Amino acid sequence: MYISMFKSAIKSAVILILGLNLFATSLQADEYPNKPINFVVGFGIGGSADRMTRSMSTFLSDELNTPIKVINKKGASTQIAANYVLKKPADGYTVFASTFSPFLANTILTGGAKYKISDFDFINVQWLDFELFAVNKNSKYNSMVEVLNAIKNHPKTVKAAVFQGSVGQLLLKLMLDKYNIPQENLNLVVYNSGGKARTAIAGGQVDLIAISAQGSETIKEFIKPLAIVKNKRVKQWDAPTLNEAIEPLGFQVPVFNGSTRGFAVRKEFKEKYPKRYEKLTTAIKRTLARKDVQKFLKSNDIGYTWTGPEESNHLIQESYDIFKSYSYLVKE
């Protein structure tokens, strides 16, 4: 009888140990994050997306209690970074941190990318910019009507600078199209960075610029704003909305967001690891709700809006659909 009781006790102990091991293994699997997370930026060091990501990484590292490593995969308007993210496991340890719109759309519509917008889940777009049309402060042009008429009536006399694949480039071409101006009438210079385009207008090398407004705060003293791409005027810029500015010409253009920056993951992540997805999403939301974080980001001219996954995905898709409608202009 004693032997039987002893065997039974051993069996129970073994079952208990196995159970504890399984429980411990399960806990370890759910302990997210238990190693550093990589944030992949689609542009180079020092740009707006990089500044947003590096600023957020410090606070998010504290919130998630794990190191965050920022990796820059610049080139091909975010296509290199997007492909890198999609090749990594959808386990929450690789996060896409970049300027998504309009560049991601352009890689698909005109850049030959094999992925789709729906391959990503946009957790939050926290920094939405809008476009600014401006001339050098000493320019003879004082309105968009004067600039567009000059392009129409005096071909090749107006030189404009845009960022490759930007909303500004699309809208400039769209205005020429709607005002029956041949595209070749404009002497268009396409830059691969906003900094170079801003330097060109500040130094008077070009007559017109169409570029992100917030990033242009640094050259405000060198330029004369002519229009902003918003539905309403803003106090930061003494300029009419674009549709107000071109109203005398008898046509309108669609108004949509400019550069849209934030964080995204592979689409499969939410389905495979819903608890991890929730933890990462909540961490970003909690971080952006902190007053000290908001103050820090604001002092560095970085957006800090909590938009949330549902609205973020909607905004990116909406921007993609608009670019798809007019992609024939950007391809030219």
Side-chain angles (χ1 to χ4, degrees):
M1 186 176 91
Y2 289 114
I3 294 175
S4 176
M5 291 177 62
F6 180 73
K7 287 182 175 178
S8 178
I10 293 293
K11 184 178 180 181
S12 297
V14 169
I15 291 172
L16 178 62
I17 292 170
L18 287 173
L20 288 173
N21 284 338
L22 286 173
F23 180 67
T25 303
S26 177
L27 271 183
Q28 189 176 20
D30 288 335
E31 283 178 356
Y32 168 81
N34 56 24
K35 62 180 182 180
I37 299 175
N38 290 331
F39 277 19
V40 182
V41 180
F43 294 92
I45 295 173
S48 56
D50 181 71
R51 290 193 299 113
M52 176 197 72
T53 304
R54 291 182 188 276
S55 298
M56 286 290 289
S57 66
T58 303
F59 300 111
L60 279 171
S61 179
D62 293 339
E63 184 70 31
L64 291 164
N65 195 30
T66 196
I68 289 177
K69 182 180 180 182
V70 178
I71 301 172
N72 294 83
K73 294 287 182 182
K74 69 175 183 178
S77 295
T78 71
Q79 188 171 169
I80 291 175
N83 282 326
Y84 178 84
V85 170
L86 291 174
K87 287 179 180 177
K88 293 294 181 181
D91 57 5
Y93 288 99
T94 303
V95 175
F96 196 8
S98 191
T99 305
F100 298 123
S101 180
F103 305 106
L104 202 55
N106 278 325
T107 64
I108 298 170
L109 296 169
T110 64
K114 303 301 181 186
Y115 48 76
K116 306 182 293 295
I117 285 290
S118 58
D119 287 335
F120 300 94
D121 185 296
F122 300 92
I123 292 177
N124 190 51
V125 289
Q126 74 174 61
W127 189 3
L128 289 88
D129 206 344
F130 58 92
E131 298 293 285
L132 166 75
F133 286 80
V135 292
N136 184 275
K137 67 176 183 178
N138 299 317
S139 172
K140 62 182 178 182
Y141 303 117
N142 294 298
S143 71
M144 286 301 298
V145 170
E146 290 180 8
V147 172
L148 289 171
N149 278 331
I151 299 171
K152 187 170 190 175
N153 300 320
H154 306 285
K156 297 293 184 183
T157 58
V158 176
K159 193 173 184 180
V162 296
F163 189 7
Q164 175 67 45
S166 66
V167 170
Q169 182 183 11
L170 176 64
L171 287 176
L172 189 51
K173 283 179 166 284
L174 184 57
M175 284 191 289
L176 299 186
D177 192 53
K178 284 182 173 287
Y179 197 33
N180 297 318
I181 303 175
Q183 296 290 332
E184 56 270 22
N185 272 24
L186 177 63
N187 188 355
L188 186 63
V189 183
V190 180
Y191 290 93
N192 58 11
S193 84
K196 292 180 180 177
R198 292 185 182 95
T199 299
I201 191 70
Q205 284 83 43
V206 297
D207 302 293
L208 175 72
I209 191 172
I211 202 161
S212 294
Q214 289 183 331
S216 301
E217 296 277 354
T218 55
I219 60 166
K220 210 167 186 175
E221 63 181 301
F222 302 106
I223 59 176
K224 187 193 313 179
L226 299 184
I228 56 168
V229 184
K230 298 279 285 184
N231 285 315
K232 295 181 179 178
R233 298 190 183 203
V234 297
K235 61 181 181 182
Q236 295 95 326
W237 294 96
D238 183 19
T241 68
L242 183 57
N243 279 328
E244 284 178 330
I246 61 175
E247 188 176 8
L249 301 179
F251 65 88
Q252 300 274 284
V253 293
V255 176
F256 53 105
N257 291 318
S259 296
T260 304
R261 311 170 184 93
F263 298 91
V265 290
R266 283 183 55 183
K267 191 73 173 180
E268 299 91 333
F269 175 47
K270 185 177 181 179
E271 294 179 2
K272 293 177 68 175
Y273 299 100
K275 290 183 179 179
R276 294 184 184 185
Y277 179 88
E278 181 65 26
K279 190 167 186 176
L280 179 61
T281 302
T282 301
I284 295 174
K285 184 178 181 180
R286 285 168 58 93
T287 298
L288 290 173
R290 286 173 47 182
K291 296 298 182 185
D292 61 325
V293 175
Q294 293 177 7
K295 184 178 180 181
F296 175 81
L297 294 174
K298 186 178 181 180
S299 67
N300 286 279
D301 294 324
I302 297 172
Y304 49 89
T305 302
W306 168 253
T307 308
E310 183 176 355
E311 183 61 15
S312 295
N313 280 285
H314 170 73
L315 288 172
I316 296 294
Q317 184 63 50
E318 182 180 58
S319 177
Y320 174 81
D321 291 340
I322 291 173
F323 262 78
K324 187 176 181 180
S325 299
Y326 299 109
S327 60
Y328 66 95
L329 290 170
V330 181
K331 286 178 180 176
E332 292 176 348

